[in-house]
Amino acid sequence: MPTRPAPTERQKRLGAELRKMRLAAGRTTEYAAGLLGLDRTKVSNMESGVRATSPDRIRLLASNYDCADEAYVEALLALADSRKRNWWEQFKGALPQGLLDVAELEWFASRLRSYQTVHIPGLLQLSGYARAVFDSALPPLPKSEVELRVMQRLQRQQVLDRDNPVEYVAYVHEWALRMQFGGRRATREQLAYLCEASEREHVEVRVLTVEAGAFPGAGHAVLYATGAVPQLDTVQLDSAHGGEFTHADAQLAKYRAHMDWWHTHTLSPQDSRDLIHTIAQQL
């Protein structure tokens, strides 16, 4: 019997939302199973994202869970729509699923905010800079995988170039601008591109200077993706063992507060560009 593929973060999120909706209504898995004509195991698999579900079943559950938030239900239906094959699926089986999940998260977000303390944000990296980042991994990645990761990272940037580009605010610590991934020339080229990218109407780059002192989330790289509705916001955290995703209400509130802090304490977009230019000239 073929092994069922592991669910993506998007599929797991849909299942988690269906479970949250059921619990808010005070219903049991037995109740859901009866509604859908399934056994409890299949309902549990659906709520963990392992088993797909149809739009009709989502509407049936929402109605019987007394969920009157139509915008939320429509957003859940969009999560369940897997008919279209997307660009990141070409990397399935060749790269860790977490990298594909980040691309999917960014693609469907209505707004993106991130803060970086060591690297230039991935959505704004040039190929040489990205290659230097991946080449620094321990244990070393095979050259073939490094090139695949660079290719996938550059393709992620489509969200900023498509006809309806996502709004993106990138908060970057000054030290990330001074880290010379790939050497002085590669860093200088990267900073020049960062300034160029920040001129786009839908891209905002704001720098936190070293004089700002301590800051929340020190040492972490965080992406806050605004969902189609507030209930579907997601935070992605980078770590040495891969990306982690969270959407618990308390965690979302914490990272919204982090993003607001960075916005208040970073330089304006123009002052940030001036500092980036200055650092590039020093190189």
Side-chain angles (χ1 to χ4, degrees):
M1 184 175 179
T3 303
R4 190 186 296 269
T8 66
E9 282 296 324
R10 188 172 172 85
Q11 291 166 336
K12 287 190 282 188
R13 183 61 184 278
L14 173 60
E17 292 300 317
L18 293 176
R19 182 175 185 275
K20 185 188 299 183
M21 191 191 302
R22 174 176 62 77
L23 293 177
R27 298 299 189 178
T28 64
T29 52
E30 288 83 358
Y31 176 83
L35 278 176
L36 301 177
L38 303 173
D39 59 45
R40 289 181 68 254
T41 299
K42 290 180 179 178
V43 171
S44 296
N45 287 340
M46 183 181 70
E47 292 184 349
S48 64
V50 173
R51 182 184 179 88
T53 189
S54 67
D56 287 344
R57 282 179 168 171
I58 292 173
R59 287 199 177 278
L60 178 63
L61 291 172
S63 175
N64 284 276
Y65 292 162
D66 299 320
C67 178
D69 189 337
E70 185 61 25
Y72 176 52
V73 174
E74 288 295 327
L76 295 183
L77 295 176
L79 284 180
D81 186 1
S82 59
R83 291 170 297 178
K84 183 179 177 181
R85 181 175 173 82
N86 291 290
W87 68 262
W88 51 85
E89 293 179 34
Q90 67 184 291
F91 296 98
K92 188 177 290 291
L95 290 177
Q97 181 61 45
L99 296 179
L100 279 59
D101 288 333
V102 172
E104 187 172 42
L105 177 65
E106 292 168 341
W107 188 260
F108 290 106
S110 61
R111 184 185 186 219
L112 295 170
R113 291 190 290 172
S114 70
Y115 59 79
Q116 304 280 339
T117 60
V118 178
H119 302 125
I120 301 300
L123 288 178
L124 301 174
Q125 289 180 8
L126 292 174
S127 60
Y129 185 96
R131 187 172 293 106
V133 171
F134 292 129
D135 275 337
S136 66
L138 286 177
L141 295 169
K143 290 297 182 184
S144 58
E145 182 168 344
V146 168
E147 293 307 314
L148 275 177
R149 289 185 180 222
V150 171
M151 183 188 306
Q152 193 258 0
R153 174 154 294 183
L154 296 181
Q155 290 199 39
R156 278 173 50 198
Q157 297 172 10
Q158 295 177 55
V159 297
L160 303 178
D161 299 324
R162 65 192 186 190
D163 292 338
N164 58 332
V166 69
E167 177 188 345
Y168 181 40
V169 183
Y171 305 111
V172 185
H173 196 277
E174 181 180 344
W175 280 118
L177 305 176
R178 298 184 181 277
M179 296 285 285
Q180 296 183 25
F181 285 94
R184 297 170 70 90
R185 179 177 178 180
T187 305
R188 186 168 61 247
E189 292 174 350
Q190 176 62 70
L191 295 183
Y193 177 72
L194 186 61
C195 286
E196 178 185 331
S198 72
E199 296 280 3
R200 301 187 209 180
E201 184 178 352
H202 55 283
V203 176
E204 188 173 326
V205 176
R206 304 176 71 103
V207 176
L208 183 70
T209 64
V210 293
E211 288 83 5
F215 55 93
H220 293 288
V222 176
L223 172 69
Y224 192 106
T226 302
V229 293
Q231 298 97 311
L232 296 183
D233 287 4
T234 303
V235 165
Q236 186 260 329
L237 308 168
D238 276 349
S239 70
H241 57 271
E244 299 178 7
F245 298 80
T246 183
H247 47 80
D249 291 342
Q251 294 296 311
L252 291 176
K254 177 176 75 173
Y255 287 110
R256 280 196 299 271
H258 281 200
M259 294 296 174
D260 292 343
W261 186 97
W262 278 76
H263 197 85
T264 299
H265 292 81
T266 47
L267 299 177
S268 70
Q270 184 57 58
D271 288 344
S272 294
R273 276 191 291 272
D274 290 343
L275 179 57
I276 296 169
H277 276 303
T278 298
I279 295 173
Q281 289 171 355
Q282 294 171 354
L283 294 171

